[in-house]
Amino acid sequence: MATSPRAFVLRHTQLLRVPGLEEIRLHLADRVLPLWHAVQVETDDLDAALPYWAFAWGGGLAIGRYLRDHPEAAAGRRVFDLASGSGLCALASMRAGAAEATGADIDAFAAASIELNARANGHRVAVVRRDVLDEEPPEVDLILAGDCWYEASLAQRVLPWLLRARDREIDVLVGDPGRRYLPTNELVELASYDVRTTTELEDLEFKHARVFGMRPAFEQT
Ligand SMILES: C[S@@+](CC[C@H](N)C(=O)[O-])C[C@H]1O[C@@H](n2cnc3c(N)ncnc32)[C@H](O)[C@@H]1O
């Protein structure tokens, strides 16, 4: 990698207010394909992941709106933002009064982005840059999972991990704009929002996105 992930994020994004969550600012890109190409060149890897970290995804936007409407879900609590991307959900939890927040992502650019976005919003967010899905869920009070159900292989790993978290009495909030691998049988809908994303990523600019908790174990059929 020629430059640091931090310098790369700064060079390819602008600090902008998040649509529908204007109190939060993120380093965002407007075009996905040119940025993806720049990531491939920078990393010398044609299989490099999409630059998820440069966008606020529908699931994260829904969690952000939910935490603004229900700050008590995060206030005073230890929060873990799985698949954090830009760190949007972690930041929304800090705005809601979380005691501490951690953003976890496997992407080096996401890790840099979480740090930059935390600083831009005047919050502290710890960053975990490794795949935590083979570990036990962390010792926290609330796990946020924004937009994790877009890929079968990831969804198959996230669900058992969230079920283990639920069984350890950790609260979970899932945000999702209708992805294919959403495990609806395991979830209870709490709220829904029309969120503004971008046709760079989605078929429509506005997506209907829902926020869920985990279905209690005793309700399983
Ligand atoms: C669609 S983005 C969602 C980002 C953010 N939660 C939001 O809603 O804006 C999915 C993120 O999951 C991350 N990811 C993929 N596999 C992961 C894993 N095993 N552990 C942690 N993060 C992962 C990707 O790098 C990407 O940043």
Side-chain angles (χ1 to χ4, degrees):
M1 211 178 293
T3 50
S4 71
R6 183 178 186 280
F8 184 89
V9 171
L10 285 171
R11 185 179 329 133
H12 290 279
T13 60
Q14 280 179 279
L15 187 59
L16 297 172
R17 295 194 182 278
V18 177
L21 286 169
E22 280 76 12
E23 64 278 23
I24 298 177
R25 294 189 305 161
L26 296 176
H27 289 84
L28 298 173
D30 51 3
R31 305 278 315 282
V32 67
L33 289 181
L35 178 54
W36 194 11
H37 180 64
V39 170
Q40 290 169 329
V41 170
E42 179 71 13
T43 56
D44 196 19
D45 180 5
L46 285 177
D47 294 327
L50 267 183
Y52 295 103
W53 46 269
F55 298 88
W57 292 79
L61 289 165
I63 287 178
R65 296 270 294 274
Y66 183 84
L67 291 177
R68 185 167 67 189
D69 290 350
H70 303 277
E72 68 282 0
R77 310 185 82 196
R78 298 165 298 168
V79 176
F80 191 87
D81 178 18
L82 176 71
S84 190
S86 63
L88 172 61
C89 297
L91 285 168
S93 76
M94 289 304 286
R95 278 203 70 89
E100 59 184 65
T102 300
D105 205 290
I106 51 172
D107 186 321
F109 297 111
S113 177
I114 296 164
E115 278 170 8
L116 285 165
N117 289 329
R119 184 168 306 178
N121 289 275
H123 290 300
R124 291 175 72 112
V125 174
V127 178
V128 168
R129 202 215 131 191
R130 63 172 189 276
D131 190 334
V132 297
L133 295 174
D134 293 325
E135 304 172 11
E136 280 304 302
E139 294 276 329
V140 296
D141 306 301
L142 174 64
I143 291 176
L144 306 174
D147 230 313
C148 292
W149 312 100
Y150 55 94
E151 202 175 76
S153 56
L154 179 60
Q156 277 163 12
R157 298 181 63 226
V158 171
L159 179 60
W161 194 81
L162 292 181
L163 290 172
R164 285 209 297 283
R166 176 204 63 189
D167 293 344
R168 290 174 51 181
E169 302 191 345
I170 300 169
D171 286 340
V172 173
L173 289 175
V174 166
D176 183 81
R179 302 280 179 231
R180 179 166 184 180
Y181 303 104
L182 181 74
T184 40
N185 287 345
E186 306 288 351
L187 304 173
V188 181
E189 186 173 329
L190 301 175
S192 65
Y193 301 92
D194 288 320
V195 296
R196 187 169 149 214
T197 67
T198 164
T199 50
E200 280 291 301
L201 307 173
E202 311 283 2
D203 52 344
L204 299 169
E205 188 178 359
F206 282 88
K207 298 292 284 185
H208 191 66
R210 295 184 289 168
V211 176
F212 303 87
M214 301 300 289
R215 189 177 294 287
F218 61 81
E219 283 186 16
Q220 301 296 308
T221 50

